[in-house]
Amino acid sequence: MNAADDKTIVKDYFNSTGFDRWRRIYCGGEVNKVQLDIRNGHQQTVETVLNWLQDDNLAGMSICDAGCGVGSLSIPLAQAGARVYASDISEKMVGEAQDRAVAELANTDNLTFTVQDLEHLSGKYHTVICLDVLIHYPQDQAAEMISHLCSLAESRLLLSFAPKTPALSLLKKIGSFFPGPSKATRAYLHKEADVVKILNSQGLTIQRQAMTRTRFYFSRILEAVRT
């Protein structure tokens, strides 16, 4: 499958059945035990990033939230005073994020949402963040996307991804034997060493790292800074 096919599948999924499923997970709707576990895991990842950023004065800081979903990170960042430029490949996800922002924020002037894929993001931002997006893309595409995100970051890039380890690879293989209607996109794991190598090649070094691990959610979080 080529890059265009993968991207089309992801876009179509998150504009149809995937949108309803993930809106329930991210926005507090009724979910099953597995989805609740994923919700809690994703929120832990978001909170880790927010805790890291609290060390800085976010007022006026330009931040790109690439793959913003329903705005779980963008909204609190804007609330803290950052100038947030948030994007997602899914028009429905962006629409949900905009509705949530209007409902939760007194002023949305410092928060911009757009429908856009990672490859076509442009501009320069103090901080670029991309959480739980790389799982939809194989290593060769992920490498291009990480390099592109690095080119947008003036100071740092924060990434999260499902790490490729023997244990998680086995779990993924077992899970593939039980396909369901919600499994409409491929799930790609990435070796941390490969991700770090790409970041280093773009002039960034790892400053902080963390791991979110629940029963059904696994996410490695890296903060890479310019040296």
Side-chain angles (χ1 to χ4, degrees):
M1 181 174 291
N2 60 39
D5 290 335
D6 260 320
K7 186 166 69 174
T8 299
I9 289 173
V10 171
K11 182 177 181 179
D12 290 346
Y13 173 66
F14 282 103
N15 276 322
S16 56
T17 57
F19 168 71
D20 294 328
R21 176 177 185 249
W22 290 99
R23 179 176 59 177
R24 288 197 306 274
I25 291 175
Y26 291 150
C27 297
E30 184 176 348
V31 293
N32 60 39
K33 290 182 179 180
V34 173
Q35 293 169 334
L36 179 60
D37 182 84
I38 293 171
R39 174 193 293 169
N40 293 335
H42 177 74
Q43 187 58 37
Q44 287 177 37
T45 294
V46 170
E47 289 174 358
T48 295
V49 170
L50 288 173
N51 287 336
W52 285 355
L53 295 177
Q54 283 177 358
D55 295 340
D56 301 327
N57 179 12
L58 292 179
M61 181 185 293
S62 62
I63 298 178
C64 172
D65 184 8
C68 65
V70 296
S72 301
L73 179 65
S74 300
I75 293 171
L77 287 175
Q79 195 167 35
R83 292 183 290 113
V84 182
Y85 303 86
S87 63
D88 199 277
I89 196 173
S90 166
E91 182 177 356
K92 283 194 172 183
M93 285 287 189
V94 169
E96 180 69 21
Q98 290 173 323
D99 290 343
R100 291 184 67 196
V102 170
E104 297 179 28
L105 300 176
N107 189 322
T108 61
D109 289 347
N110 60 322
L111 176 55
T112 301
F113 287 107
T114 60
V115 179
Q116 202 165 31
D117 57 42
L118 297 187
E119 298 96 317
H120 293 95
L121 291 176
S122 60
K124 292 290 185 180
Y125 310 91
H126 178 278
T127 297
V128 175
I129 306 172
C130 185
L131 301 184
D132 293 353
V133 174
L134 297 181
I135 195 169
H136 301 298
Y137 299 95
Q139 182 58 37
D140 58 339
Q141 295 176 38
E144 294 178 3
M145 291 180 185
I146 294 171
S147 296
H148 180 58
L149 292 173
C150 288
S151 73
L152 307 177
E154 294 178 329
S155 180
R156 64 183 165 193
L157 170 64
L158 292 96
L159 285 175
S160 74
F161 56 94
K164 188 172 186 178
T165 64
L168 291 184
S169 295
L170 177 60
L171 285 175
K172 180 177 179 291
K173 186 175 182 180
I174 293 172
S176 69
F177 294 144
F178 303 96
S182 62
K183 296 178 181 177
T185 64
R186 286 177 169 84
Y188 295 100
L189 309 181
H190 299 283
K191 292 181 179 179
E192 182 174 346
D194 292 340
V195 175
V196 172
K197 184 177 181 180
I198 298 165
L199 294 169
N200 291 163
S201 73
Q202 300 298 314
L204 283 81
T205 57
I206 303 302
Q207 177 163 289
R208 283 182 283 198
Q209 51 194 323
M211 180 73 192
T212 304
R213 182 184 291 105
T214 66
R215 289 188 65 190
F216 301 101
Y217 175 95
F218 304 87
S219 187
R220 186 63 163 163
I221 314 165
L222 302 177
E223 178 185 34
V225 300
R226 293 214 173 273
T227 54

Short mmCIF file of all heavy atoms in Angstrom, two decimals, residues 6-62:
data_model
loop_
_atom_site.label_atom_id
_atom_site.label_comp_id
_atom_site.label_asym_id
_atom_site.label_seq_id
_atom_site.Cartn_x
_atom_site.Cartn_y
_atom_site.Cartn_z
N ASP A 6 -2.72 4.89 2.28
CA ASP A 6 -2.77 4.95 3.74
C ASP A 6 -3.44 6.23 4.21
O ASP A 6 -4.28 6.22 5.11
CB ASP A 6 -1.35 4.87 4.31
CG ASP A 6 -1.00 3.47 4.81
OD1 ASP A 6 -1.89 2.83 5.40
OD2 ASP A 6 0.13 3.04 4.60
N LYS A 7 -3.06 7.35 3.61
CA LYS A 7 -3.61 8.64 4.03
C LYS A 7 -5.10 8.70 3.74
O LYS A 7 -5.88 9.21 4.56
CB LYS A 7 -2.88 9.78 3.32
CG LYS A 7 -3.29 11.16 3.81
CD LYS A 7 -2.33 12.21 3.34
CE LYS A 7 -2.39 12.42 1.84
NZ LYS A 7 -1.56 13.55 1.40
N THR A 8 -5.53 8.18 2.59
CA THR A 8 -6.95 8.19 2.24
C THR A 8 -7.76 7.34 3.21
O THR A 8 -8.86 7.73 3.63
CB THR A 8 -7.15 7.66 0.80
OG1 THR A 8 -6.46 8.52 -0.11
CG2 THR A 8 -8.63 7.63 0.44
N ILE A 9 -7.22 6.18 3.58
CA ILE A 9 -7.90 5.31 4.53
C ILE A 9 -8.08 6.01 5.88
O ILE A 9 -9.15 5.99 6.48
CB ILE A 9 -7.14 3.98 4.70
CG1 ILE A 9 -7.27 3.13 3.44
CG2 ILE A 9 -7.65 3.20 5.91
CD1 ILE A 9 -6.41 1.89 3.44
N VAL A 10 -7.00 6.64 6.35
CA VAL A 10 -7.06 7.34 7.64
C VAL A 10 -8.07 8.48 7.56
O VAL A 10 -8.91 8.65 8.47
CB VAL A 10 -5.67 7.88 8.02
CG1 VAL A 10 -5.76 8.80 9.23
CG2 VAL A 10 -4.72 6.72 8.30
N LYS A 11 -8.02 9.27 6.50
CA LYS A 11 -8.93 10.41 6.35
C LYS A 11 -10.38 9.95 6.30
O LYS A 11 -11.24 10.51 6.99
CB LYS A 11 -8.58 11.19 5.08
CG LYS A 11 -9.44 12.43 4.84
CD LYS A 11 -8.97 13.17 3.60
CE LYS A 11 -9.81 14.41 3.36
NZ LYS A 11 -9.35 15.16 2.15
N ASP A 12 -10.66 8.93 5.48
CA ASP A 12 -12.04 8.44 5.36
C ASP A 12 -12.54 7.85 6.67
O ASP A 12 -13.70 8.04 7.06
CB ASP A 12 -12.12 7.39 4.24
CG ASP A 12 -11.93 7.99 2.86
OD1 ASP A 12 -12.01 9.24 2.73
OD2 ASP A 12 -11.71 7.22 1.90
N TYR A 13 -11.66 7.13 7.35
CA TYR A 13 -12.04 6.49 8.62
C TYR A 13 -12.44 7.53 9.66
O TYR A 13 -13.48 7.42 10.31
CB TYR A 13 -10.88 5.64 9.12
CG TYR A 13 -11.09 5.06 10.51
CD1 TYR A 13 -12.08 4.12 10.75
CD2 TYR A 13 -10.27 5.45 11.57
CE1 TYR A 13 -12.27 3.58 12.02
CE2 TYR A 13 -10.45 4.92 12.84
CZ TYR A 13 -11.45 3.99 13.06
OH TYR A 13 -11.63 3.47 14.31
N PHE A 14 -11.62 8.58 9.81
CA PHE A 14 -11.89 9.57 10.84
C PHE A 14 -12.96 10.58 10.43
O PHE A 14 -13.33 11.45 11.23
CB PHE A 14 -10.60 10.28 11.25
CG PHE A 14 -9.74 9.46 12.17
CD1 PHE A 14 -8.61 8.81 11.70
CD2 PHE A 14 -10.09 9.31 13.50
CE1 PHE A 14 -7.83 8.04 12.55
CE2 PHE A 14 -9.31 8.54 14.35
CZ PHE A 14 -8.18 7.90 13.88
N ASN A 15 -13.45 10.48 9.22
CA ASN A 15 -14.61 11.28 8.81
C ASN A 15 -15.89 10.46 8.78
O ASN A 15 -16.94 10.97 8.38
CB ASN A 15 -14.37 11.90 7.43
CG ASN A 15 -13.58 13.20 7.50
OD1 ASN A 15 -13.76 13.99 8.41
ND2 ASN A 15 -12.69 13.39 6.54
N SER A 16 -15.82 9.18 9.20
CA SER A 16 -17.00 8.32 9.18
C SER A 16 -17.12 7.57 10.50
O SER A 16 -17.27 8.19 11.56
CB SER A 16 -16.93 7.36 7.99
OG SER A 16 -15.72 6.60 8.02
N THR A 17 -17.05 6.25 10.46
CA THR A 17 -17.25 5.46 11.68
C THR A 17 -16.19 5.75 12.74
O THR A 17 -16.48 5.72 13.93
CB THR A 17 -17.25 3.96 11.36
OG1 THR A 17 -16.01 3.63 10.71
CG2 THR A 17 -18.41 3.60 10.45
N GLY A 18 -14.98 6.01 12.31
CA GLY A 18 -13.91 6.29 13.25
C GLY A 18 -14.16 7.54 14.05
O GLY A 18 -13.82 7.61 15.23
N PHE A 19 -14.78 8.55 13.43
CA PHE A 19 -15.05 9.79 14.15
C PHE A 19 -15.99 9.54 15.32
O PHE A 19 -15.74 10.00 16.44
CB PHE A 19 -15.67 10.82 13.20
CG PHE A 19 -16.23 12.01 13.92
CD1 PHE A 19 -15.39 12.94 14.51
CD2 PHE A 19 -17.61 12.19 14.02
CE1 PHE A 19 -15.90 14.04 15.19
CE2 PHE A 19 -18.12 13.28 14.69
CZ PHE A 19 -17.28 14.21 15.28
N ASP A 20 -17.07 8.82 15.09
CA ASP A 20 -18.02 8.54 16.16
C ASP A 20 -17.35 7.76 17.29
O ASP A 20 -17.58 8.04 18.48
CB ASP A 20 -19.21 7.75 15.62
CG ASP A 20 -20.04 8.55 14.64
OD1 ASP A 20 -20.13 9.79 14.81
OD2 ASP A 20 -20.61 7.96 13.70
N ARG A 21 -16.54 6.78 16.92
CA ARG A 21 -15.88 5.96 17.94
C ARG A 21 -14.92 6.79 18.77
O ARG A 21 -14.93 6.76 20.01
CB ARG A 21 -15.13 4.81 17.27
CG ARG A 21 -14.31 3.96 18.24
CD ARG A 21 -13.64 2.79 17.50
NE ARG A 21 -12.96 1.91 18.44
CZ ARG A 21 -11.64 1.79 18.53
NH1 ARG A 21 -10.87 2.50 17.74
NH2 ARG A 21 -11.10 0.96 19.40
N TRP A 22 -14.04 7.57 18.12
CA TRP A 22 -13.01 8.31 18.85
C TRP A 22 -13.56 9.55 19.53
O TRP A 22 -13.02 9.99 20.54
CB TRP A 22 -11.85 8.64 17.92
CG TRP A 22 -11.10 7.40 17.57
CD1 TRP A 22 -11.20 6.65 16.43
CD2 TRP A 22 -10.16 6.72 18.41
NE1 TRP A 22 -10.39 5.56 16.50
CE2 TRP A 22 -9.73 5.57 17.70
CE3 TRP A 22 -9.63 6.97 19.67
CZ2 TRP A 22 -8.80 4.68 18.22
CZ3 TRP A 22 -8.71 6.09 20.21
CH2 TRP A 22 -8.30 4.95 19.48
N ARG A 23 -14.65 10.09 19.04
CA ARG A 23 -15.29 11.20 19.77
C ARG A 23 -15.81 10.70 21.11
O ARG A 23 -15.67 11.39 22.13
CB ARG A 23 -16.44 11.79 18.95
CG ARG A 23 -17.15 12.93 19.68
CD ARG A 23 -18.23 13.58 18.84
NE ARG A 23 -19.25 12.63 18.43
CZ ARG A 23 -20.32 12.96 17.73
NH1 ARG A 23 -20.51 14.21 17.35
NH2 ARG A 23 -21.21 12.05 17.39
N ARG A 24 -16.39 9.51 21.14
CA ARG A 24 -16.85 8.95 22.41
C ARG A 24 -15.68 8.71 23.35
O ARG A 24 -15.76 8.98 24.55
CB ARG A 24 -17.59 7.63 22.17
CG ARG A 24 -18.95 7.76 21.54
CD ARG A 24 -19.77 6.49 21.71
NE ARG A 24 -19.09 5.30 21.24
CZ ARG A 24 -19.11 4.86 19.98
NH1 ARG A 24 -19.80 5.53 19.07
NH2 ARG A 24 -18.46 3.77 19.63
N ILE A 25 -14.57 8.23 22.79
CA ILE A 25 -13.41 7.94 23.62
C ILE A 25 -12.82 9.23 24.18
O ILE A 25 -12.56 9.34 25.39
CB ILE A 25 -12.34 7.17 22.81
CG1 ILE A 25 -12.84 5.76 22.48
CG2 ILE A 25 -11.02 7.10 23.58
CD1 ILE A 25 -11.91 4.97 21.58
N TYR A 26 -12.62 10.23 23.33
CA TYR A 26 -11.92 11.44 23.75
C TYR A 26 -12.83 12.45 24.46
O TYR A 26 -12.33 13.27 25.25
CB TYR A 26 -11.28 12.12 22.54
CG TYR A 26 -10.12 11.38 21.94
CD1 TYR A 26 -9.84 11.49 20.58
CD2 TYR A 26 -9.29 10.59 22.72
CE1 TYR A 26 -8.76 10.82 20.02
CE2 TYR A 26 -8.22 9.92 22.16
CZ TYR A 26 -7.96 10.03 20.81
OH TYR A 26 -6.89 9.37 20.25
N CYS A 27 -14.12 12.41 24.20
CA CYS A 27 -15.01 13.46 24.70
C CYS A 27 -15.90 13.02 25.84
O CYS A 27 -16.84 13.73 26.20
CB CYS A 27 -15.86 14.02 23.56
SG CYS A 27 -14.89 14.81 22.25
N GLY A 28 -15.65 11.85 26.41
CA GLY A 28 -16.38 11.46 27.60
C GLY A 28 -17.69 10.76 27.36
O GLY A 28 -18.51 10.68 28.28
N GLY A 29 -17.92 10.23 26.15
CA GLY A 29 -19.15 9.50 25.88
C GLY A 29 -19.12 8.10 26.48
O GLY A 29 -18.12 7.68 27.08
N GLU A 30 -20.21 7.37 26.31
CA GLU A 30 -20.30 6.01 26.84
C GLU A 30 -19.39 5.08 26.03
O GLU A 30 -19.46 5.04 24.80
CB GLU A 30 -21.74 5.51 26.78
CG GLU A 30 -21.93 4.14 27.40
CD GLU A 30 -23.38 3.70 27.42
OE1 GLU A 30 -24.25 4.56 27.17
OE2 GLU A 30 -23.64 2.52 27.68
N VAL A 31 -18.54 4.35 26.72
CA VAL A 31 -17.56 3.48 26.06
C VAL A 31 -17.47 2.14 26.79
O VAL A 31 -17.93 2.00 27.93
CB VAL A 31 -16.17 4.13 26.02
CG1 VAL A 31 -16.15 5.35 25.12
CG2 VAL A 31 -15.70 4.50 27.43
N ASN A 32 -16.85 1.15 26.13
CA ASN A 32 -16.61 -0.12 26.79
C ASN A 32 -15.31 -0.05 27.58
O ASN A 32 -14.62 0.97 27.60
CB ASN A 32 -16.60 -1.27 25.78
CG ASN A 32 -15.51 -1.10 24.71
OD1 ASN A 32 -14.40 -0.66 25.01
ND2 ASN A 32 -15.83 -1.45 23.47
N LYS A 33 -14.94 -1.15 28.24
CA LYS A 33 -13.78 -1.14 29.13
C LYS A 33 -12.48 -0.89 28.37
O LYS A 33 -11.59 -0.19 28.87
CB LYS A 33 -13.70 -2.46 29.89
CG LYS A 33 -14.80 -2.65 30.92
CD LYS A 33 -14.64 -3.96 31.67
CE LYS A 33 -15.73 -4.12 32.73
NZ LYS A 33 -15.60 -5.40 33.48
N VAL A 34 -12.36 -1.47 27.18
CA VAL A 34 -11.15 -1.25 26.39
C VAL A 34 -11.03 0.21 25.98
O VAL A 34 -9.97 0.84 26.10
CB VAL A 34 -11.13 -2.16 25.14
CG1 VAL A 34 -9.95 -1.82 24.24
CG2 VAL A 34 -11.07 -3.63 25.55
N GLN A 35 -12.12 0.78 25.49
CA GLN A 35 -12.11 2.18 25.08
C GLN A 35 -11.86 3.12 26.25
O GLN A 35 -11.17 4.14 26.10
CB GLN A 35 -13.43 2.52 24.38
CG GLN A 35 -13.60 1.79 23.05
CD GLN A 35 -15.01 1.93 22.50
OE1 GLN A 35 -15.97 2.11 23.26
NE2 GLN A 35 -15.15 1.82 21.19
N LEU A 36 -12.39 2.78 27.42
CA LEU A 36 -12.13 3.59 28.61
C LEU A 36 -10.66 3.56 28.97
O LEU A 36 -10.07 4.59 29.34
CB LEU A 36 -12.97 3.07 29.78
CG LEU A 36 -12.78 3.80 31.12
CD1 LEU A 36 -13.14 5.28 31.00
CD2 LEU A 36 -13.60 3.14 32.22
N ASP A 37 -10.04 2.40 28.84
CA ASP A 37 -8.61 2.27 29.11
C ASP A 37 -7.80 3.13 28.14
O ASP A 37 -6.85 3.81 28.53
CB ASP A 37 -8.20 0.80 29.00
CG ASP A 37 -6.73 0.57 29.33
OD1 ASP A 37 -6.41 0.44 30.52
OD2 ASP A 37 -5.90 0.54 28.39
N ILE A 38 -8.19 3.12 26.86
CA ILE A 38 -7.51 3.94 25.85
C ILE A 38 -7.70 5.42 26.15
O ILE A 38 -6.77 6.22 26.03
CB ILE A 38 -8.02 3.59 24.44
CG1 ILE A 38 -7.61 2.15 24.08
CG2 ILE A 38 -7.50 4.58 23.41
CD1 ILE A 38 -8.24 1.64 22.81
N ARG A 39 -8.92 5.79 26.56
CA ARG A 39 -9.19 7.19 26.93
C ARG A 39 -8.27 7.64 28.05
O ARG A 39 -7.65 8.71 27.98
CB ARG A 39 -10.64 7.36 27.36
CG ARG A 39 -10.96 8.75 27.91
CD ARG A 39 -12.30 8.77 28.62
NE ARG A 39 -13.39 8.56 27.69
CZ ARG A 39 -14.66 8.31 28.06
NH1 ARG A 39 -14.96 8.23 29.35
NH2 ARG A 39 -15.60 8.13 27.15
N ASN A 40 -8.17 6.82 29.09
CA ASN A 40 -7.34 7.18 30.23
C ASN A 40 -5.86 7.25 29.84
O ASN A 40 -5.13 8.13 30.30
CB ASN A 40 -7.54 6.17 31.36
CG ASN A 40 -8.93 6.23 31.96
OD1 ASN A 40 -9.59 7.27 31.89
ND2 ASN A 40 -9.39 5.15 32.56
N GLY A 41 -5.42 6.32 28.99
CA GLY A 41 -4.03 6.33 28.55
C GLY A 41 -3.70 7.57 27.74
O GLY A 41 -2.67 8.23 27.97
N HIS A 42 -4.57 7.90 26.79
CA HIS A 42 -4.33 9.09 25.97
C HIS A 42 -4.32 10.35 26.82
O HIS A 42 -3.47 11.23 26.63
CB HIS A 42 -5.40 9.21 24.89
CG HIS A 42 -5.28 10.43 24.04
ND1 HIS A 42 -4.32 10.57 23.07
CD2 HIS A 42 -5.99 11.59 24.03
CE1 HIS A 42 -4.44 11.76 22.49
NE2 HIS A 42 -5.43 12.39 23.05
N GLN A 43 -5.22 10.43 27.79
CA GLN A 43 -5.26 11.61 28.66
C GLN A 43 -3.99 11.71 29.49
O GLN A 43 -3.50 12.81 29.74
CB GLN A 43 -6.49 11.56 29.56
CG GLN A 43 -6.71 12.83 30.37
CD GLN A 43 -6.83 14.07 29.51
OE1 GLN A 43 -7.41 14.03 28.43
NE2 GLN A 43 -6.27 15.18 29.96
N GLN A 44 -3.44 10.58 29.91
CA GLN A 44 -2.18 10.60 30.64
C GLN A 44 -1.06 11.17 29.77
O GLN A 44 -0.21 11.93 30.25
CB GLN A 44 -1.81 9.19 31.10
CG GLN A 44 -2.65 8.65 32.24
CD GLN A 44 -2.29 7.23 32.61
OE1 GLN A 44 -1.12 6.84 32.57
NE2 GLN A 44 -3.28 6.42 32.95
N THR A 45 -1.06 10.80 28.48
CA THR A 45 -0.05 11.35 27.55
C THR A 45 -0.21 12.85 27.42
O THR A 45 0.77 13.61 27.46
CB THR A 45 -0.17 10.66 26.18
OG1 THR A 45 0.17 9.28 26.31
CG2 THR A 45 0.73 11.31 25.15
N VAL A 46 -1.44 13.31 27.25
CA VAL A 46 -1.71 14.75 27.15
C VAL A 46 -1.25 15.47 28.42
O VAL A 46 -0.59 16.52 28.35
CB VAL A 46 -3.21 15.00 26.90
CG1 VAL A 46 -3.54 16.49 27.05
CG2 VAL A 46 -3.61 14.51 25.52
N GLU A 47 -1.54 14.90 29.57
CA GLU A 47 -1.17 15.54 30.83
C GLU A 47 0.35 15.56 31.03
O GLU A 47 0.89 16.53 31.59
CB GLU A 47 -1.85 14.81 31.99
CG GLU A 47 -3.35 15.05 32.04
CD GLU A 47 -4.06 14.21 33.09
OE1 GLU A 47 -3.38 13.40 33.76
OE2 GLU A 47 -5.29 14.34 33.23
N THR A 48 1.03 14.52 30.56
CA THR A 48 2.50 14.53 30.63
C THR A 48 3.07 15.71 29.85
O THR A 48 3.94 16.44 30.33
CB THR A 48 3.07 13.21 30.09
OG1 THR A 48 2.68 12.13 30.94
CG2 THR A 48 4.60 13.26 30.02
N VAL A 49 2.57 15.90 28.64
CA VAL A 49 3.05 17.00 27.80
C VAL A 49 2.71 18.35 28.44
O VAL A 49 3.54 19.26 28.47
CB VAL A 49 2.45 16.89 26.38
CG1 VAL A 49 2.73 18.15 25.57
CG2 VAL A 49 3.01 15.67 25.67
N LEU A 50 1.50 18.48 28.95
CA LEU A 50 1.11 19.74 29.60
C LEU A 50 1.99 20.03 30.81
O LEU A 50 2.40 21.17 31.04
CB LEU A 50 -0.36 19.68 30.02
CG LEU A 50 -1.38 19.75 28.88
CD1 LEU A 50 -2.79 19.51 29.42
CD2 LEU A 50 -1.32 21.10 28.17
N ASN A 51 2.31 19.00 31.57
CA ASN A 51 3.19 19.18 32.73
C ASN A 51 4.58 19.63 32.31
O ASN A 51 5.20 20.49 32.97
CB ASN A 51 3.28 17.88 33.54
CG ASN A 51 2.01 17.60 34.32
OD1 ASN A 51 1.25 18.50 34.62
ND2 ASN A 51 1.77 16.33 34.62
N TRP A 52 5.10 19.07 31.23
CA TRP A 52 6.40 19.50 30.73
C TRP A 52 6.36 20.97 30.31
O TRP A 52 7.28 21.73 30.62
CB TRP A 52 6.82 18.64 29.54
CG TRP A 52 7.28 17.26 29.89
CD1 TRP A 52 7.46 16.74 31.14
CD2 TRP A 52 7.61 16.21 28.97
NE1 TRP A 52 7.88 15.44 31.06
CE2 TRP A 52 7.99 15.08 29.75
CE3 TRP A 52 7.62 16.10 27.58
CZ2 TRP A 52 8.39 13.88 29.17
CZ3 TRP A 52 8.01 14.91 27.01
CH2 TRP A 52 8.39 13.80 27.80
N LEU A 53 5.29 21.36 29.62
CA LEU A 53 5.20 22.71 29.10
C LEU A 53 4.94 23.74 30.19
O LEU A 53 5.19 24.93 30.00
CB LEU A 53 4.10 22.80 28.04
CG LEU A 53 4.35 21.97 26.77
CD1 LEU A 53 3.16 22.08 25.83
CD2 LEU A 53 5.61 22.44 26.06
N GLN A 54 4.42 23.31 31.33
CA GLN A 54 4.18 24.24 32.43
C GLN A 54 5.47 24.86 32.97
O GLN A 54 5.43 25.88 33.64
CB GLN A 54 3.43 23.53 33.57
CG GLN A 54 1.96 23.33 33.29
CD GLN A 54 1.25 22.56 34.41
OE1 GLN A 54 1.87 22.14 35.38
NE2 GLN A 54 -0.05 22.36 34.25
N ASP A 55 6.59 24.24 32.66
CA ASP A 55 7.87 24.80 33.08
C ASP A 55 8.18 26.10 32.35
O ASP A 55 9.05 26.87 32.77
CB ASP A 55 9.00 23.80 32.83
CG ASP A 55 8.87 22.54 33.67
OD1 ASP A 55 8.16 22.59 34.69
OD2 ASP A 55 9.46 21.52 33.30
N ASP A 56 7.49 26.34 31.23
CA ASP A 56 7.73 27.52 30.41
C ASP A 56 6.63 28.55 30.61
O ASP A 56 5.54 28.25 31.10
CB ASP A 56 7.78 27.14 28.93
CG ASP A 56 8.87 26.13 28.63
OD1 ASP A 56 9.92 26.18 29.29
OD2 ASP A 56 8.65 25.26 27.76
N ASN A 57 6.92 29.74 30.18
CA ASN A 57 5.89 30.78 30.11
C ASN A 57 5.19 30.64 28.76
O ASN A 57 5.73 31.02 27.72
CB ASN A 57 6.52 32.16 30.24
CG ASN A 57 5.49 33.27 30.16
OD1 ASN A 57 4.28 33.02 30.22
ND2 ASN A 57 5.95 34.50 30.00
N LEU A 58 3.99 30.06 28.76
CA LEU A 58 3.30 29.76 27.51
C LEU A 58 2.64 30.98 26.88
O LEU A 58 2.25 30.93 25.71
CB LEU A 58 2.24 28.68 27.75
CG LEU A 58 2.77 27.28 28.09
CD1 LEU A 58 1.61 26.33 28.33
CD2 LEU A 58 3.66 26.76 26.98
N ALA A 59 2.50 32.04 27.62
CA ALA A 59 1.82 33.24 27.10
C ALA A 59 2.49 33.74 25.83
O ALA A 59 3.67 34.11 25.84
CB ALA A 59 1.79 34.33 28.15
N GLY A 60 1.76 33.71 24.74
CA GLY A 60 2.28 34.20 23.47
C GLY A 60 3.15 33.23 22.71
O GLY A 60 3.55 33.52 21.57
N MET A 61 3.47 32.07 23.27
CA MET A 61 4.32 31.10 22.59
C MET A 61 3.56 30.47 21.42
O MET A 61 2.40 30.10 21.55
CB MET A 61 4.76 29.99 23.55
CG MET A 61 5.67 28.95 22.90
SD MET A 61 6.07 27.59 24.04
CE MET A 61 7.07 28.49 25.25
N SER A 62 4.22 30.37 20.26
CA SER A 62 3.58 29.76 19.10
C SER A 62 3.76 28.24 19.16
O SER A 62 4.87 27.74 19.30
CB SER A 62 4.17 30.31 17.81
OG SER A 62 5.55 30.02 17.72
#
